[in-house]
Amino acid sequence: MVQKSFLEVSEENHSNLVEFIERLRTAGLKLPGHLGKVNKTAVARACGFSREVFQQNPRFARTLDDAIKDLGIDVPQVEEPEPRHSRDKARIMRLEQQLAAARSESHELRRRLRRYEAIVDHMATSGRRVIS
């Protein structure tokens, strides 16, 4: 098995990038985007190399920048979340208060249980009643 040199791998990856851009161009598509920028991870995966190549190799970055100017970026439409109504906020606040009260009550009941268990243990071992 013959291992490829770094330059051969770099040339192969660059040709994959150029082919990917050409396929998009002939299909009339744009580069994949995310949050208004090109999705470098998607481009790198489609071309078969790591995303970091765009930061490490200026030639790849230039090729991608030229493709962005030529093809543009396809930014998916994101549905805006429905605004929370004040009624929902009030309900959430009420439920949070109920949860806090239940937690506090649970904590107090567990404290009492530990105390009563200690009294029962003392009575069982000593046979004497605890006055508290």
Side-chain angles (χ1 to χ4, degrees):
M1 181 173 144
V2 177
Q3 193 170 1
K4 295 179 183 179
S5 71
F6 174 76
L7 291 174
E8 290 172 335
V9 172
S10 179
E11 283 301 320
E12 185 178 304
N13 287 340
H14 190 264
S15 66
N16 289 345
L17 176 62
V18 171
E19 288 175 18
F20 174 73
I21 293 169
E22 286 304 316
R23 285 195 310 263
L24 289 177
R25 185 176 286 122
T26 56
L29 299 174
K30 296 179 179 184
L31 289 165
H34 181 71
L35 300 175
K37 296 180 180 179
V38 68
N39 188 341
K40 293 179 183 178
T41 303
V43 173
R45 283 185 184 157
C47 297
F49 54 83
S50 173
R51 179 191 190 285
E52 286 78 26
V53 171
F54 293 115
Q55 281 81 31
Q56 295 169 352
N57 193 322
R59 184 172 74 154
F60 282 75
R62 279 193 307 272
T63 303
L64 186 63
D65 288 340
D66 293 341
I68 292 170
K69 292 174 188 170
D70 187 31
L71 299 175
I73 300 172
D74 182 26
V75 180
Q77 296 295 326
V78 178
E79 293 182 18
E80 292 198 24
E82 294 182 20
R84 295 237 170 162
H85 300 294
S86 61
R87 186 179 67 208
D88 292 343
K89 289 181 181 178
R91 182 174 180 265
I92 290 171
M93 179 78 75
R94 188 176 63 250
L95 290 172
E96 287 176 346
Q97 289 173 349
Q98 288 174 355
L99 177 61
R103 283 181 177 166
S104 175
E105 181 182 6
S106 174
H107 177 71
E108 176 62 22
L109 291 173
R110 285 184 181 150
R111 188 188 65 76
R112 285 183 187 176
L113 178 63
R114 283 192 303 271
R115 180 173 172 255
Y116 293 141
E117 286 174 342
I119 291 172
V120 168
D121 286 344
H122 175 73
M123 289 174 61
T125 58
S126 69
R128 295 183 180 187
R129 184 173 156 220
V130 177
I131 299 174
S132 56

